[in-house]
Amino acid sequence: MTIRLYNTMSRKIEEFKPLVPGKMGFYSCGPTVYWDAHIGNMRTFVNNDIIKRVFIENGYDVTHVTNITDVGHLTSDEDDGDDKMEKGAARENVSVWDIAKKYTDAFLNDADLLNIIRPTFLPRATDHIAEQIALVQELEKMGYTYEIPGNGIYYDTSRFAAYGALGGQNLSELRGGARIDDTGKRNPTDFALWKFSPTDAKRAMEWDSPWGVGFPGWHIECSAMSMKYLGPHFDIHTGGQEHTKVHHTNEIAQAEPIVGNPWVSYWVHYAWLLLKDGKMSKSAGTAYTVRNLIERGYDPMAFRYLLLQGHYRQPLEFSFESLDAAANGYKNIVRRVADILNTENRGDVDTAVYDVWHDKILAPASDNFKTAESLVVVQELLKDATVNPATKIALFEFIDRLLGAQFIDRAKKLIALESETAPAEIVAMAESRAAAKASKDWATADALRSEIDAAGWTVLDSKDGYKIVKKA
Ligand code: AMP
Ligand code: ZN
C-alpha cells in the first residue's frame, strides 16, 4: 500500500518513495542519557515505533538507527550553558560514565515497557568520537570551518547556501537581526563542531583531536553515526519538533557539503506531549516517567493507547483524566478480545474477510500515520458480528504488530487471572458477604468487599450469585 507522510522540508504530504526498493533507512534522534526520559520524550519514541511498524507491515525491510547521546554536550543550542552529563553526575555523586549507563538502561527499560521495538543499531556517541572527528576534518578540508582560539572549531554557516531551509528561516534576517556576541563567531547561526576543554580544569569526558583536547559539538554525532550505519543517503530522519530550526538544520549543514543534496529524503517532526500549564518539568515534579505511571496503577499500554488516539503532528495535552479515559478504553478492548479468545467454536480464518479488514486498518496508519483512525476501524471490527472469532483473532494479531498495543497479550493475562481460583479465606469472606447481603446488612457486605479488594481479589455480582476474580 502507498505510504504518505508529511515532509518538513517540502511542507507537504508526500508519497513515500524508497531509495532502495523494499528498504527503508531510518534515523531517529535518541535520548540524552543524563536523567530519566519523561513520558513526553517517550511520546517521541513511540512515534518512531509507529512509523517503523507501519513500514514493516507494508513489507519494508527497515534499518533503524537511534543514537544514545552520552557526551555531555552543553545544555543550550547555542553551545554554552552547563554540561548535562556532568550535572547528572554531580546530582547523584557518581561518574559521568555511571550516569550514562544507568540512564541508558532506564531508557531501554521504559521503551520495552511501551513495547517499542529496539532499533537495529543503538550507537553511543562516545563510541564514535573517531567518526565525528573524521567528519569535522572533511568539513575543514572543504573550508567550512574556522577556529575560535580558546573556544573550539566552528561551522561557518555563511558557506552553506541552503542553510536554514528545513526550518524555513530567512537567513539574511537571522544574520542581520541578531548581534554577534563576544564569542568570536562569524555569524550568529554558526555552531561548534569541536569544543576545547578549558585549560584550567579537566573535564570528565574529553578526547584528543587534531585541534586539541576537547569534545564534539552536539550536532555532529547524528550526522556521523547516521551515515556510518545507513550510508551517505537514507530515507527518513525524525525527531521532536524543536529540532527543526537548530539541531537538524545543523545536521544537514554538516552532511550535505559532503554527500550532496538531498542528504535525507523525508524529515518528520513530532509535536510534544504537554501539560495544561505548558511543559513537563522535573523540578515541578510533573515530568512523569513510565515507571511513575506504573506506580500509580496504570498499564503502560494504556499510555500507549492514549498516544495512538492522537496524531504525531498535533500537541497532546496529558492529564490523569485523559489517561483514565484511555485506560478504560484500552481495558474494554482487552475484555472483548478475551471474550473472543474464550469462544469455544471460533471457526476458521476467512482470508477474504481478513484481507478487507486488514487493509481497512492499515490504510489510515499508512496515510501520514493516522493511528486514531485505525483504532476507529478496530472498534467497528469488534462490533461486526459477521466476522467470525478466528478471523477476529488473526486480525488482532496483525493489529498488535501494527500498533504495538499488546491487546492479545493482555487478554490472555486477563483470562489467566480470571481462571485462578481464590484461596479458602477469600472464598469464606465472599460467602460471609453474600450472607450479609441476603440479610440486608449492607455495612458488613461493603466492609467485606473492601477487605477482599485489599487482598487482590474482586467479587463480581451476577444474577446467579457471584464470581471471585483476581484483580488485574
Ligand atoms: P532529549 O533526551 O532531551 O535529547 O530528548 C529526547 C527526545 O524527546 C527529543 O527528540 C525531543 O525532541 C523529545 N522531547 C522532549 N520533550 C518532549 C515532549 N514534551 N513531548 C514529546 N517529545 C519531547
Ligand atoms: Zn540528532
Side-chain angles (χ1 to χ4, degrees):
M1 171 174 308
T2 306
I3 299 177
R4 288 162 20 99
L5 73 176
Y6 183 88
N7 187 353
T8 309
M9 188 60 93
S10 66
R11 285 160 188 75
K12 279 205 281 279
I13 292 187
E14 294 179 28
E15 190 174 303
F16 179 78
K17 300 228 168 56
L19 288 172
V20 179
K23 293 191 189 286
M24 197 277 265
F26 183 25
Y27 187 88
S28 48
C29 291
T32 311
V33 286
Y34 72 109
W35 214 341
D36 277 318
H38 56 59
I39 54 174
N41 301 132
M42 296 319 286
R43 181 186 189 198
T44 283
F45 299 115
V46 169
N47 282 333
N48 289 328
D49 193 53
I50 291 168
I51 292 188
K52 183 160 146 186
R53 287 171 181 271
V54 168
F55 275 86
I56 292 172
E57 289 312 308
N58 275 287
Y60 283 88
D61 174 8
V62 178
T63 305
H64 179 205
V65 182
T66 292
N67 62 309
I68 298 284
T69 300
D70 58 351
V71 175
H73 63 66
L74 304 176
T75 38
S76 90
D77 280 345
E78 275 71 50
D79 300 312
D80 54 22
D82 298 323
D83 175 320
K84 283 188 187 174
M85 297 298 293
E86 290 194 2
K87 265 176 91 168
R91 187 185 63 234
E92 300 188 20
N93 203 17
V94 294
S95 77
V96 279
W97 302 98
D98 289 341
I99 286 289
K101 162 114 187 53
K102 176 177 172 185
Y103 290 109
T104 302
D105 291 348
F107 165 70
L108 292 175
N109 179 51
D110 288 349
D112 288 348
L113 289 168
L114 288 170
N115 198 28
I116 292 172
I117 302 172
R118 292 257 175 125
T120 325
F121 298 102
L122 202 66
R124 280 192 290 259
T126 52
D127 288 337
H128 295 78
I129 300 296
E131 288 84 348
Q132 297 175 64
I133 290 175
L135 194 55
V136 178
Q137 282 180 303
E138 273 193 74
L139 291 167
E140 185 178 42
K141 260 189 260 154
M142 296 172 82
Y144 282 81
T145 68
Y146 61 95
E147 178 170 340
I148 302 180
N151 179 334
I153 305 297
Y154 276 71
Y155 186 103
D156 183 348
T157 52
S158 67
R159 290 275 287 108
F160 182 56
Y163 189 85
L166 184 70
Q169 286 139 296
N170 179 333
L171 275 196
S172 53
E173 264 173 35
L174 258 183
R175 293 205 172 105
R179 275 199 19 211
I180 308 225
D181 45 32
D182 53 11
T183 57
K185 287 203 283 187
R186 291 180 187 167
N187 310 283
T189 45
D190 292 358
F191 56 92
L193 295 165
W194 187 263
K195 292 279 282 184
F196 301 141
S197 290
T199 44
D200 54 347
K202 191 166 163 48
R203 282 178 48 84
M205 281 181 170
E206 56 184 13
W207 294 267
D208 274 332
S209 83
W211 312 281
V213 175
F215 56 104
W218 89 273
H219 313 292
I220 196 78
E221 68 180 79
C222 288
S223 302
M225 300 200 289
S226 59
M227 292 195 276
K228 169 165 179 176
Y229 292 97
L230 294 168
H233 295 278
F234 54 93
D235 297 291
I236 301 182
H237 193 316
T238 65
Q241 64 188 6
E242 81 287 4
H243 286 336
T244 319
K245 285 187 161 57
V246 178
H247 180 51
H248 289 166
T249 289
N250 291 350
E251 279 190 44
I252 293 170
Q254 294 164 151
E256 291 199 346
I258 294 163
V259 300
N261 171 292
W263 170 42
V264 169
S265 307
Y266 305 91
W267 287 90
V268 176
H269 291 99
Y270 308 129
W272 277 19
L273 186 71
L274 300 170
L275 297 172
K276 212 171 178 186
D277 319 320
K279 276 182 83 167
M280 301 200 174
S281 139
K282 288 239 156 81
S283 48
T286 55
Y288 308 106
T289 63
V290 176
R291 279 155 287 145
N292 293 152
L293 300 186
I294 294 172
E295 283 153 20
R296 288 173 176 242
Y298 294 98
D299 181 342
M301 281 305 105
F303 177 62
R304 185 166 174 125
Y305 187 72
L306 176 73
L307 299 180
L308 288 166
Q309 287 176 311
H311 187 255
Y312 79 90
R313 291 199 13 95
Q314 298 299 326
L316 187 65
E317 195 181 290
F318 176 83
S319 67
F320 282 99
E321 290 74 46
S322 60
L323 184 58
D324 284 337
N328 283 334
Y330 182 73
K331 278 190 200 148
N332 283 339
I333 298 182
V334 169
R335 169 79 266 159
R336 294 168 82 167
V337 174
D339 292 343
I340 302 168
L341 284 169
N342 277 334
T343 316
E344 273 182 19
N345 295 315
R346 288 196 218 161
D348 295 320
V349 176
D350 183 329
T351 49
V353 173
Y354 177 93
D355 288 348
V356 170
W357 283 94
H358 171 277
D359 289 3
K360 265 168 69 167
I361 293 162
L362 185 57
S366 304
D367 182 13
N368 204 20
F369 315 111
K370 293 183 187 130
T371 49
E373 291 184 21
S374 294
L375 284 173
V376 171
V377 186
V378 169
Q379 296 286 0
E380 285 167 17
L381 169 68
L382 280 169
K383 278 191 213 122
D384 192 328
T386 67
V387 184
N388 73 18
T391 310
K392 278 190 181 161
I393 292 303
L395 281 162
F396 265 92
E397 281 163 3
F398 155 67
I399 292 162
D400 277 342
R401 285 198 308 275
L402 178 69
L403 303 177
Q406 299 188 304
F407 290 122
I408 292 190
D409 171 80
R410 295 304 195 267
K412 285 186 175 160
K413 288 196 170 123
L414 184 61
I415 291 169
L417 282 175
E418 288 175 351
S419 61
E420 246 186 80
T421 46
E425 68 269 20
I426 302 287
V427 176
M429 278 194 270
E431 279 296 307
S432 308
R433 177 179 169 269
K437 269 181 68 179
S439 54
K440 299 203 175 357
D441 178 0
W442 309 118
T444 306
D446 283 350
L448 282 161
R449 173 189 272 287
S450 306
E451 241 181 284
I452 295 169
D453 197 73
W457 295 83
T458 306
V459 193
L460 299 175
D461 293 315
S462 67
K463 288 200 299 291
D464 336 306
Y466 63 86
K467 217 162 77 173
I468 314 171
V469 296
K470 190 101 198 254
K471 272 185 9 190

